[in-house]
């Protein structure tokens, strides 16, 4: 089993690519595009669930990148941004597919009402309602895309902030280790100085003792000579 710091990131990224490929097949040439009615809606529901799983994988990639060494992290940040971009494109494709299904349903419903109505103005009224519905749907799609874009930007800024905070924490830890080593060195120097001061006092005491003994001897000698 690969236990390198990048092994989990590579594994999640591989699973994410396979999931995105499955989503693109469903939304591109698969059932999501060519299907009709309930089958197409069911396919889009499956795509929605797969997108939720892909979103969780991207979140996991964002977590795993924090444990990758600084020397190679920039390369993996690029791969993470590519994964987020792929996820955003897939979400947009799903939104477009849903809009197409909704538009088709509106057209189908409108046509059914057109041919069953005896009102000569029904065609214009239904067409107006259809256009209004399509306009509302397109506006909703644009707002959703803008929200997704802002969410991705916010997520990117959050990842950068986390990276900066991690780097600052490492710098603080390094500074703390340096201060601890300096404190130990200061303690050792202080102990050495105290030992030197003690020896100095001891030597001074010995010197004074020798001088006192010599003075006493001189006094004794002089006293004996005088007496």
């Amino acid at each position: 089993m690969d236990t390198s710091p990048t092994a989990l990131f590579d594994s999640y990224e591989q699973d994410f690519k396979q999931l995105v490929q499955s989503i693109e097949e469903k939304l591109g040439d698969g059932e999501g595009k060519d299907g009709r009615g309930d089958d197409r809606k069911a396919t889009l529901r499956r795509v929605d669930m797969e997108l939720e799983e892909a979103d969780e994988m991207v979140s996991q990639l964002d977590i795993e990148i924090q444990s990758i060494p600084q020397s190679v992290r920039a390369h993996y940040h690029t791969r993470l941004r590519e994964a987020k971009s792929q996820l955003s494109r897939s979400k947009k494709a799903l939104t477009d597919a849903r809009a197409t299904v909704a538009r088709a349903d509106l057209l189908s419903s409108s046509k059914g009402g057109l041919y069953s109505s005896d009102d000569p103005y029904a065609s214009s009224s239904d067409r107006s309602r259809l256009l209004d519905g399509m306009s509302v749907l397109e506006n909703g799609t644009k707002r959703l895309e803008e929200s997704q874009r802002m969410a991705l930007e916010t997520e990117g800024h959050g990842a950068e902030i986390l990276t900066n905070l991690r780097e600052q924490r490492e710098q603080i830890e390094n500074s703390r280790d340096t201060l601890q080593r300096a404190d130990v060195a200061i303690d050792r120097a202080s102990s050495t100085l105290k030992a030197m001061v003690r020896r100095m006092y001891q030597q001074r005491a010995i010197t004074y003792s020798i001088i006192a003994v010599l003075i006493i001897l001189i006094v004794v000698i002089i006293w004996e000579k005088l007496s």
Side-chain angles (χ1 to χ4, degrees), residues 146-182:
E146 181 66 18
S147 299
Q148 289 176 348
R149 184 185 64 80
M150 293 178 63
L152 288 175
E153 290 180 357
T154 303
E155 188 176 0
H157 292 319
E160 292 178 1
I161 291 172
L162 287 175
T163 301
N164 293 333
L165 289 175
R166 183 182 180 87
E167 293 175 354
Q168 291 175 4
R169 186 184 67 182
E170 292 176 353
Q171 292 175 357
I172 292 172
E173 289 177 350
N174 292 333
S175 300
R176 183 184 62 187
D177 293 340
T178 302
L179 289 175
Q180 289 177 347
R181 288 194 295 269

Side-chain angles (χ1 to χ4, degrees), residues 102-158:
R103 191 178 295 112
D105 289 343
L106 285 173
L107 288 171
S108 176
S109 174
S110 176
K111 288 180 179 180
L114 283 174
Y115 294 109
S116 63
S117 175
D118 296 330
D119 187 356
Y121 298 101
S123 176
S124 176
S125 177
D126 289 340
R127 194 159 38 243
S128 176
R129 286 197 299 270
L130 175 60
L131 291 175
D132 290 341
M134 291 175 62
S135 177
V136 172
L137 183 61
E138 289 176 356
N139 290 334
T141 300
K142 290 179 180 179
R143 286 196 295 269
L144 180 59
E145 291 174 355
E146 181 66 18
S147 299
Q148 289 176 348
R149 184 185 64 80
M150 293 178 63
L152 288 175
E153 290 180 357
T154 303
E155 188 176 0
H157 292 319

